[in-house]
Amino acid sequence: MTGTTQDDYTDRYARRVRGMTTSEIRALFAVASRPEVVSLAGGSPYIAALPLDAVGEMMGRLATELGTTSLQYGIGQGTMELRERICEVMSLSGIDAATGASPDDVVVTVGGQQGLDLVARLFLDPGDVVLAEGPTYVGALGVFQAAQAQVRHVAMDADGLVPAALEEAVVAAAGRAKFLYTIPTYQNPAGVTLTDARREEVLDICERHGLLVVEDDPYGMLSFSDEAPRPLRSRRREGIIYVSTFSKTFAPGLRVGWVLAPHAVREKLVMASEANILCPSAFAQGAVTQYLSTMPWREQIKTYREIYRERRDALLDALRDLMPAGTTWTRPEGGLFVWATLPEGLDSKAMMPRAIAARVAYVPGTGFYADGTGRQNLRLNFSFPPPDRIREGVRRLAGVMEQELAMRAVFGPTPPPRRRGHAGADTPGPDLA
Ligand code: PMP
């Protein structure tokens, strides 16, 4: 089939694939990764902070000394050794034997992302409703969309998900909601955290309505203080599927995450995973197991937290000093992201080409909603760029916003048409075509 075009395939795609479109993040990465661009767009941990030599030696030994198992197939659920280690990690957040957590109910996955995909495969039929924070994690939206589910967003404020809005959404879904998908701690993208009082309220509402909770917790251990809220799963034994990952506490390149499922669900979860990937990588599991057994992983998490706290401060200070009046933003107590709300009339998606031309990248808020809202918002990452680059990025962004506001004052709320492929009259920059 040489010379075929996209159109030749359009009618062949399965229904679940037809709604797939390029995500904002994917389209941006190509441009944002150029060295001259300050990227506040990604979500990458600062891997340079790892002791890479020691990790390299450890992985070398994993091949030379343990290669006959680490380079072999494994079992679908993941190795017992790693599942035991995962239980030790979870016990630091209060998810322990006393709350019913056991290695038997842990399923090792290819990152948290596969965990979310498995949950969707298990519970979602086309047309089912998923309740999720608005905004929510773009990768989860992709999973729910591929399952042909309908995402209904539930409002958040600085204290996280709003319980009254959740109650209303559950009632409005009239029994069609399969689960609540939530990132209660250091949320991606909003950077907010569900308060303790609200955690109980949210759990009570879900219990009362028989609504399953999918708790996604990649950032819970990345607190900027000594007080981190306890996960939902540490508060209830049943009714919660807990998803987490080593991507943010160790390294995303290994692609190791896990699901802690209610006992009744675990078997189906393993079957779904086997159908999907046969088994998670024995080598990657071995690397995480060795890392947790022989290296100072708790110290490493502390290192990440310190680096990110410094960078969070750099971002918040720069926003305070440089943003135009009318801009607001969240103040994360952990995690990787700040969520900003632009002054009335600015459109983060429309502004993006000019921002790239000014050599700064962010993710427009629309990527984090299933319904196209979020034009007045953007997500800023502070884990990857060093503090001086963060400040420079905010300076560039503020310049673009000032320009947009000035144009708006002259031309009114609708920006004048721009020539295609041109990044802006007075800021010629990289070709965005
Ligand atoms: N959930 C959330 C909220 C995330 O932000 C991410 C990654 N950015 C994931 C899940 C998936 O992470 P991974 O597959 O790397 O474990």
Side-chain angles (χ1 to χ4, degrees):
M1 299 235 297
T2 47
T4 52
T5 65
Q6 289 277 2
D7 287 348
D8 295 325
Y9 291 94
T10 305
D11 294 339
R12 302 171 197 252
Y13 287 126
R15 248 176 237 107
R16 65 180 174 281
V17 174
R18 291 183 192 167
M20 281 183 190
T21 50
T22 307
S23 89
E24 245 103 333
I25 292 185
R26 186 195 298 257
L28 286 176
F29 261 141
V31 200
S33 59
R34 294 183 190 166
E36 68 272 20
V37 177
V38 176
S39 180
L40 305 171
S44 300
Y46 190 60
I47 291 304
L50 279 172
L52 292 175
D53 287 347
V55 172
E57 272 171 43
M58 178 196 88
M59 287 174 75
R61 282 198 305 276
L62 186 61
T64 52
E65 294 168 21
L66 301 168
T68 53
T69 48
S70 71
L71 295 170
Q72 190 53 278
Y73 286 115
I75 61 167
Q77 191 175 355
T79 67
M80 186 54 150
E81 228 183 334
L82 178 57
R83 286 185 280 125
E84 281 170 356
R85 292 278 168 201
I86 286 171
C87 284
E88 279 171 40
V89 171
M90 287 193 295
S91 72
L92 297 183
S93 333
I95 302 175
D96 53 19
T99 54
S102 129
D104 211 30
D105 295 332
V106 172
V107 179
V108 178
T109 55
V110 182
Q113 189 69 23
Q114 193 215 354
L116 298 178
D117 189 64
L118 293 178
V119 169
R121 283 166 195 247
L122 242 53
F123 292 105
L124 297 179
D125 283 316
D128 280 347
V129 170
V130 173
L131 303 180
E133 285 129 3
T136 192
Y137 169 49
V138 64
L141 286 177
V143 163
F144 302 147
Q145 195 238 325
Q148 296 176 269
Q150 203 192 323
V151 173
R152 301 226 182 125
H153 291 292
V154 182
M156 270 190 297
D157 60 21
D159 291 337
L161 202 63
V162 178
L166 174 63
E167 177 96 48
E168 207 174 292
V170 182
V171 172
R176 279 172 57 223
K178 279 288 177 72
F179 55 77
L180 166 69
Y181 168 72
T182 177
I183 311 152
T185 313
Y186 318 135
Q187 208 248 12
N188 177 8
V192 300
T193 294
L194 191 66
T195 59
D196 275 332
R198 282 198 184 174
R199 281 175 195 243
E200 288 303 320
E201 278 185 76
V202 164
L203 286 167
D204 286 347
I205 292 168
C206 292
E207 251 167 21
R208 196 152 18 86
H209 292 278
L211 186 69
L212 190 62
V213 177
V214 178
E215 178 178 27
D216 191 5
D217 190 27
Y219 305 107
M221 297 186 89
L222 295 179
S223 162
F224 301 147
S225 70
D226 291 331
E227 287 162 36
R230 283 172 47 223
L232 302 177
R233 179 58 184 77
S234 74
R235 297 158 188 263
R236 298 286 190 283
R237 285 167 169 263
E238 286 297 329
I240 302 178
I241 299 183
Y242 179 83
V243 182
S244 192
T245 176
F246 290 104
S247 287
K248 307 294 164 23
T249 50
F250 179 21
L254 289 166
R255 313 302 303 127
V256 178
W258 72 91
V259 179
L260 172 67
H263 189 68
V265 170
R266 188 264 291 157
E267 201 181 344
K268 282 227 172 2
L269 205 57
V270 173
M271 286 193 281
S273 187
E274 285 172 348
N276 188 211
I277 59 160
L278 291 186
C279 64
S281 155
F283 194 81
Q285 290 182 83
V288 175
T289 307
Q290 291 296 313
Y291 179 73
L292 295 173
S293 318
T294 65
M295 295 184 67
W297 61 276
R298 289 181 182 79
E299 297 309 309
Q300 182 60 41
I301 294 177
K302 228 172 123 197
T303 302
Y304 279 137
R305 288 166 53 188
E306 278 162 12
I307 293 171
Y308 299 161
R309 186 179 48 211
E310 190 195 354
R311 293 177 180 194
R312 185 266 325 247
D313 289 345
L315 178 55
L316 292 182
D317 288 353
L319 290 169
R320 181 200 58 209
D321 296 345
L322 300 166
M323 275 290 120
T327 316
T328 59
W329 53 87
T330 57
R331 313 182 66 77
E333 293 298 325
L336 315 185
F337 306 107
V338 164
W339 181 250
T341 304
L342 302 180
E344 195 66 40
L346 289 196
D347 179 329
S348 62
K349 203 170 176 181
M351 192 170 80
M352 192 61 197
R354 271 190 271 256
I356 294 284
R359 292 168 295 123
V360 59
Y362 56 81
V363 187
T366 44
F368 306 96
Y369 288 92
D371 56 11
T373 52
R375 281 184 171 268
Q376 218 184 320
N377 301 102
L378 47 87
R379 189 190 75 175
L380 301 171
N381 166 260
F382 54 79
S383 59
F384 195 71
D388 59 329
R389 293 284 285 169
I390 289 177
R391 193 170 180 91
E392 175 58 21
V394 173
R395 197 187 60 74
R396 293 175 187 177
L397 178 60
V400 174
M401 287 167 64
E402 299 283 8
Q403 248 186 8
E404 295 274 313
L405 287 166
M407 292 222 309
R408 205 174 161 262
V410 176
F411 294 107
T414 315
R418 292 192 295 268
R419 274 189 293 144
R420 219 170 149 250
H422 192 273
D426 49 358
T427 51
D431 184 359
L432 296 172

